[in-house]
Each structure stands twice: as C-alpha cells, then as structure tokens.
Amino acid sequence: MKADSKIYVAGHNGLAGSAMLRNLNELGFKNIITKNHDELDLIDIEATSNFFKTEKPEYVFLAAAKVGGIHANNTYPADYFFQNISIQTNVIHNSYLNDVKRLLFLGSSCIYPKDSKQPIKEEYLFSGPLEKTNSPFAVAKLSGIAMCSSYNRQYNTKYLGAMSTNLYGPGDNYDLENGHVMAALIRKFSEAKKNNATTVSLWGSGNPRREFLYSDDLAKACIFLMTLSNEKFDSLLQNNLGSKSYPIINIGTGEDISIKDLSLLIAKISGYKGKVFFDKTKPDGVLRKLLNVDMLHDLGWSSKTVISEGVEKVLKNFNA
Ligand code: GFB
C-alpha cells in the first residue's frame, strides 16, 4: 500500500474506522475514499455493487459493522446477525469482483470460545461453544472469516481478518444501554463527579477481566499489517494454526484488568470519591478474553498506549 494507493475505509465514522482514517491521513495516505451511511448503505446489495464498480479501491479497511456492548448484543440478536452478515458479505464479494488488492476484515475477541485457554491464540478458533450474550455477532464475524478464507483459496484473494480486543478512544459510543464498558464507565464516573453523586452503579460482579486497546493503536496495527511486504502478508493468509488454517491475526495489548480494578482506576483519574455498587442482576458475560498477540509482536508491532494514559485522554476528550 503506497501513499497514492486508492484506499476505502468502510465505517470511517465509527470508533475503529475514524481512528484508521485519522492515522492514514497523518501518515500521508491521501487517496482515501469514505462514504457516510446516508451516502452508502452497505446492507444495500445494489448500492454497494455500484459503489465498488465506480470507485474501484485497491485496498479496503472493513471497519463498518453493527457493534455494541453486552446489553445491546443480548437485546438485539437479529440486528447484530443480519446487519453484520450483510455488510461484510457485500463488501468482501464486491472487493473480489473489483480486484481489490488487500482487504482487512475487522473482527473482535468474542469470536473465540468462551472457555478458551488464556491468553487466546488464533488457533483456538472454532474449538468450543461461544459466549451466549454475543453469539449472533460472533457467528456473523466467524462467517466473515470463513468467507475471507474461502475467497483466498478459490480466487487467490488477499483478505485478512484482524481480531481486535475491546476498543476505546475518541468518538466512542457513550450510550449507557448499548455502549461498551469502557465508554460507560467513563461517562458514569465523569457525570457522578460533575453532579457530586454519592453512588455509581455498575453491572455484574466486577470480577470479569477485559483487555482494552486504544483505537489509535488498533489503527496503527491495521496500517502496519496492510503495508507488510507481500511475503509477510501472504504468510498470514496461509498460516497453519495448529490443525486449522484461517487468515486471522489478533490485535491487543497482551494485558487485561478486572472490571472492578478498571472502575477504581477511572474513579481515581476522574476524581470521583463516592461509592461504587455492582448490580449483580446484570450479566457478567465471558469471564476473560485476553488475546495472545505473539504473532503480531513477532512481526514487529506492539501497542503503545498504557490504560491509565488512554483513560486520561478519553476522560479529557469526554469532558471537553
Ligand atoms: O464492553 P462490554 O459491554 O461487552 O463489557 P463485552 C461488559 C462487561 O463489563 C461485563 C461489565 O462484565 C459487564 O458486567 N460492566 C460493568 C458493564 N458495568 C458496565 C456498564 O455500565 N456497561 C457495560 N456495557 N458493561 C463485547 C461483545 O463483550 O465485547 C461485543 O458483546 C464485542 O460483541 C466487544 O465483541 C469487543 O466485553 O462483554
């Protein structure tokens, strides 16, 4: 991928996509195509086909998806299944029809079995039952991985799945019902501090652990992968992961934190000094999903933003 390569960032207004666009621009990539949702609905087969025929991008970052936290996934399973299957199927198939050179398909750590050995290696894919609260989303993403693998095998395409851990960063979704945990806690503690509240109520037991990757780090990792030499990039497509062979690579920090300790960290940084209550009627979800990122580290990339620094940045951004 060169400075003048024609790049399409699908989902450029989202948390991941906006970070990709920001970092691509900063790195001097200027020939970038983006379409807002009202300009192009990627669920619309004909509109997506016409877009690709007209624009003919050379590289595609597929960050467009229907995403959300544990409550949203648990409440709208049909939306999470249908919208993600539709978007990825249209973009991957039309990338093939229009000779896209490389496509990076963004997935998430929930594709792995809920009882995976930790940290989770890419080869653990399909090795056990999924976490119930987000299985429709996970099955949709697993289908996207299978689609990339099938097109690579049959048509010699170069499509790679980038499996990201939990994300946070500028432009996150702060909706308390449908957002992710990091955004929810940032908002809850910021508002509690501002309103001099004496109690903050969080979900679950506080025992689950999560790994949090700053969105700009994800973007840098994705651009690092898309600018790998042909030899290195192609080796990720044919990688034989134990008895399985799927074109995926994990992107994470290699460290996780309990929700309880995360709440203490955010309370401290936000200056909130009241009580924290854990509402056990709300789901915990999977207890742990720490990614093994050796494959990415061996290629020469590792994340830079430590969680306290990332939380400070996001809190500042939220309160701006
Ligand atoms: O980010 P999150 O909503 O989803 O995190 P997952 C849920 C965890 O944080 C659970 C706890 O253990 C919740 O009990 N939690 C505590 C809270 N307080 C809150 C709160 O106020 N809001 C939220 N949202 N959680 C998602 C998948 O799983 O991970 C997605 O559903 C995607 O599909 C994403 O894969 C990366 O981390 O459990």
Side-chain angles (χ1 to χ4, degrees):
M1 192 166 81
K2 306 221 175 357
D4 60 349
S5 299
K6 196 161 187 179
I7 300 165
Y8 170 40
V9 179
H12 73 287
N13 286 321
L15 175 59
S18 58
M20 286 175 195
L21 185 59
R22 186 167 54 245
N23 284 273
L24 282 165
N25 282 324
E26 280 167 16
L27 286 169
F29 293 97
K30 290 292 173 244
N31 192 1
I32 302 171
I33 318 155
T34 57
K35 286 286 180 196
N36 293 325
H37 197 176
D38 54 1
E39 294 171 303
L40 174 61
D41 176 359
L42 293 172
I43 291 177
D44 181 328
I45 297 173
E46 198 180 337
T48 307
S49 165
N50 292 337
F51 164 75
F52 270 86
K53 274 187 219 154
T54 312
E55 295 293 351
K56 288 212 170 288
E58 297 170 89
Y59 296 86
V60 174
F61 289 82
L62 177 42
K66 169 78 174 167
V67 295
I70 189 165
H71 174 77
N73 270 270
N74 218 8
T75 310
Y76 309 107
D79 294 348
Y80 276 81
F81 187 84
F82 171 71
Q83 292 186 33
N84 286 303
I85 278 272
S86 303
I87 291 167
Q88 66 198 34
T89 301
N90 288 340
V91 173
I92 294 169
H93 186 64
N94 282 286
S95 293
Y96 153 65
L97 293 177
N98 292 278
D99 307 316
V100 163
K101 290 183 178 140
R102 286 183 182 179
L103 176 141
L104 198 74
F105 170 58
L106 204 54
S108 98
S109 52
C110 71
I111 60 159
Y112 292 108
K114 63 181 176 179
D115 302 318
S116 293
K117 201 155 94 14
Q118 307 283 324
I120 305 171
K121 289 185 177 178
E122 290 86 350
E123 67 200 55
Y124 299 166
L125 203 62
F126 291 116
S127 60
L130 297 167
E131 159 59 29
K132 203 176 108 4
T133 52
N134 53 43
S135 57
F137 176 80
V139 171
K141 289 293 179 180
L142 287 166
S143 305
I145 292 166
M147 187 168 180
C148 289
S149 177
S150 306
Y151 278 56
N152 293 347
R153 282 173 56 207
Q154 184 170 339
Y155 301 127
N156 194 30
T157 50
K158 313 278 184 198
Y159 300 165
L160 176 65
M163 297 302 121
S164 170
T165 191
N166 288 51
L167 274 188
Y168 71 107
D172 207 340
N173 170 9
Y174 289 99
D175 180 282
L176 291 180
E177 284 302 303
N178 299 322
H180 288 98
V181 60
M182 177 65 91
L185 269 57
I186 292 281
R187 178 172 166 185
K188 286 184 176 180
F189 283 105
S190 300
E191 291 180 346
K193 164 77 177 152
K194 200 161 62 185
N195 308 328
N196 295 315
T198 55
T199 307
V200 165
S201 172
L202 303 184
W203 299 353
S205 66
N207 297 329
R209 300 181 68 84
R210 292 292 183 273
E211 179 186 9
F212 294 100
L213 179 69
Y214 195 69
S215 57
D216 278 320
D217 284 344
L218 170 79
K220 291 178 169 71
C222 291
I223 297 166
F224 170 81
L225 290 169
M226 283 285 251
T227 49
L228 281 175
S229 68
N230 287 336
E231 188 195 352
K232 285 188 177 169
F233 191 83
D234 293 357
S235 71
L236 296 175
L237 303 180
Q238 285 116 24
N239 56 13
N240 287 308
L241 308 163
S243 58
K244 297 176 179 60
S245 170
Y246 291 97
I248 57 168
I249 186 164
N250 290 339
I251 304 181
T253 63
E255 289 168 20
D256 62 2
I257 182 172
S258 74
I259 300 298
K260 182 164 175 25
D261 287 345
L262 177 68
S263 68
L264 295 172
L265 174 71
I266 299 175
K268 181 164 165 261
I269 297 176
S270 64
Y272 170 75
K273 300 202 181 330
K275 285 193 173 31
V276 178
F277 167 70
F278 281 92
D279 173 359
K280 293 191 174 53
T281 65
K282 295 282 188 351
D284 267 342
V286 71
L287 282 184
R288 200 175 186 205
K289 46 177 178 171
L290 174 65
L291 293 180
N292 179 306
V293 284
D294 291 348
M295 199 185 280
L296 187 56
H297 286 179
D298 292 349
L299 283 168
W301 188 89
S302 56
S303 63
K304 297 281 177 291
T305 311
V306 293
I307 191 164
S308 53
E309 185 194 313
V311 165
E312 268 184 41
K313 275 189 200 172
V314 170
L315 265 168
K316 211 162 126 217
N317 184 286
F318 180 79
N319 292 317

